[in-house]
Amino acid sequence: MSYLDANATEPLRPAARAAVLAALDLTGNPSSVHGAGRAARRVVETARTALATRFGGRPQDLVFTSGATEANALAIHALGHGRRIIVGATEHDAVRAAAPNAAVLPVDSNGVADLAALAQLLSEGGPALVCLMMANNETGTLQPIMEAAAICRHHGALLHVDAVQAAGRIPVEFAALGAASLVVSSHKLGGPTGAGALLLAPEVAAIGALIRGGGQERGRRGGTPSVPAIAGFAAAALADPPALASLRDAIERIAMDAGALVCGGAGPRLANTTCLALPGVRADAQVIALDLDGIAVSAGAACSSGKVTASHVLAAMGLGDLAGEAIRVSLPWNATGADVAAFAATYPRMAARLRAALGRPLASRAA
Ligand code: PLP
């Protein structure tokens, strides 16, 4: 099987697996004062320092959560209180659901945020929180975070950055960005599921909790943290970013030769991600056909009750019908040329078969 769905979950890195297994043998609760508790706490605090250092924040300003969905919700709940909220049009649902009444910042045809529109929205008055992701999960598009942060600062607004897909793939240096907060997730960078982190700028670090309880995380997130997940998270985060651009480019050449279009391909992108639209062929049909041939990818479009909902990301990029016809190929850290060979043996056949079933072979489209 070729696993090409890293943006959903990265394969576990060996160092993360070893750290998880070692931490599973610890019995103590990190809040307990006895030796067993202190041993567990040491693991958590060592991981906190390693992660804060890795992503350019201060350990005391890093809040552990269950994952990025919770970390985004906490940031938006705490920093959005009493502020107008503006979200990028291509943000993940974890952000969109936490700010259902937010104003939407448009993007261009490559999915890059319109910074003139941001300045305009911010000049319309009132304190604001802007949510802009560093890299998009469906297309890999990179946002101009430093420029957006400067515009936010000029207007007295806070910037929240979802760096889930960027972390582990490109350098993430929170302090240098000028943002108020930043989110990363363990399972998106080769750690286990069940841990995420919210990094806060020192000026806004004293936030209230969304989940209240025993006062853990300096009163910012109640509940006993998952010590093994946190240990694995930190171990995974120390890995160097993989070099995947040449494999991704090879996959794009194979797909384009078979009639696919690369969505957002002309913009700045992550090296591991490509979003491939096959005109006229529903995304879910492509995903299922590739899965039957041993290739795991995903679709931006969600299918519920037999009805395909087009990807809001691709729709915001103005891709029309293609928004329901695109799959995401996202290479994991351990991808090799064998994955490209498997894709080459499968994708063109799948494309020809599904297009023929629709009565739209490639030649007739090109005519
Ligand atoms: N933000 C982005 C950009 C994502 O891609 C995802 C997961 O798909 C999330 C947030 C949610 O992450 P988690 O699974 O850690 O809750």
Side-chain angles (χ1 to χ4, degrees):
M1 172 181 156
S2 239
Y3 182 80
L4 306 180
D5 199 16
N7 292 11
T9 291
E10 282 278 2
L12 193 64
R13 286 183 175 272
R17 183 185 167 80
V20 169
L21 291 176
L24 281 171
D25 284 332
L26 295 172
T27 302
N29 185 314
S31 295
S32 299
V33 295
H34 48 61
R38 291 199 307 278
R41 189 173 187 88
R42 252 193 315 278
V43 171
V44 172
E45 295 313 317
T46 302
R48 191 188 309 279
T49 301
L51 286 160
T53 305
R54 185 64 166 168
F55 297 122
R58 302 195 311 180
Q60 65 268 39
D61 302 333
L62 185 152
V63 182
F64 281 121
T65 63
S66 61
T69 300
E70 185 194 331
N72 275 313
L74 173 58
I76 292 167
H77 166 81
L79 303 180
H81 186 71
R83 293 177 175 267
R84 259 182 334 128
I85 303 181
I86 299 168
V87 303
T90 61
E91 293 300 297
H92 190 271
D93 281 343
V95 166
R96 299 192 328 143
N101 301 315
V104 176
L105 174 63
V107 296
D108 68 14
S109 59
N110 286 311
V112 179
D114 179 342
L115 295 184
L118 175 61
Q120 177 61 36
L121 280 166
L122 289 174
S123 70
E124 287 164 11
L129 171 69
V130 176
C131 303
L132 197 56
M133 67 203 325
M134 193 172 278
N136 184 266
N137 45 299
E138 289 184 33
T139 57
T141 298
L142 301 172
Q143 297 294 358
I145 296 294
M146 304 270 272
E147 292 86 337
I151 293 169
C152 288
R153 253 196 321 281
H154 179 72
H155 289 88
L158 299 180
L159 177 65
H160 169 67
V161 179
D162 177 338
V164 163
Q165 297 292 347
R169 299 185 179 135
I170 57 172
V172 172
E173 190 57 36
F174 177 51
L177 294 176
S181 53
L182 181 138
V183 161
V184 291
S185 176
S186 168
H187 74 106
K188 305 286 189 179
L189 49 74
T193 50
L198 170 63
L199 280 81
L200 293 157
E203 315 82 74
V204 298
I207 58 169
L210 181 58
I211 299 171
R212 283 192 277 267
Q216 289 93 341
E217 297 297 306
R218 297 173 183 243
R220 297 172 293 192
R221 197 268 186 181
T224 303
S226 169
V227 180
I230 286 171
F233 184 7
L238 294 178
D240 289 329
L244 296 168
S246 60
L247 298 180
R248 190 268 318 266
D249 292 348
I251 280 183
E252 288 186 346
R253 278 193 299 275
I254 293 160
M256 286 191 291
D257 285 349
L261 307 168
V262 179
C263 304
R269 284 188 298 157
L270 290 174
N272 83 312
T273 307
T274 182
C275 180
L276 303 169
L278 202 51
V281 183
R282 281 170 40 154
D284 57 339
Q286 299 176 52
V287 170
I288 291 165
L290 289 172
D291 184 40
L292 288 173
D293 276 338
I295 303 220
V297 300
S298 70
C303 177
S304 59
S305 324
K307 188 166 165 283
V308 175
T309 317
S311 148
H312 75 273
V313 172
L314 304 183
M317 291 161 63
L319 291 178
D321 286 347
L322 292 180
E325 299 167 351
I327 60 165
R328 172 186 71 192
V329 176
S330 52
L331 299 168
W333 59 266
N334 56 359
T336 66
D339 294 306
V340 176
F343 190 82
T346 302
Y347 185 93
R349 219 166 9 123
M350 175 281 291
R353 188 157 43 83
L354 293 183
R355 293 179 72 96
L358 288 164
R360 293 183 62 186
L362 180 57
S364 72
R365 187 182 68 92

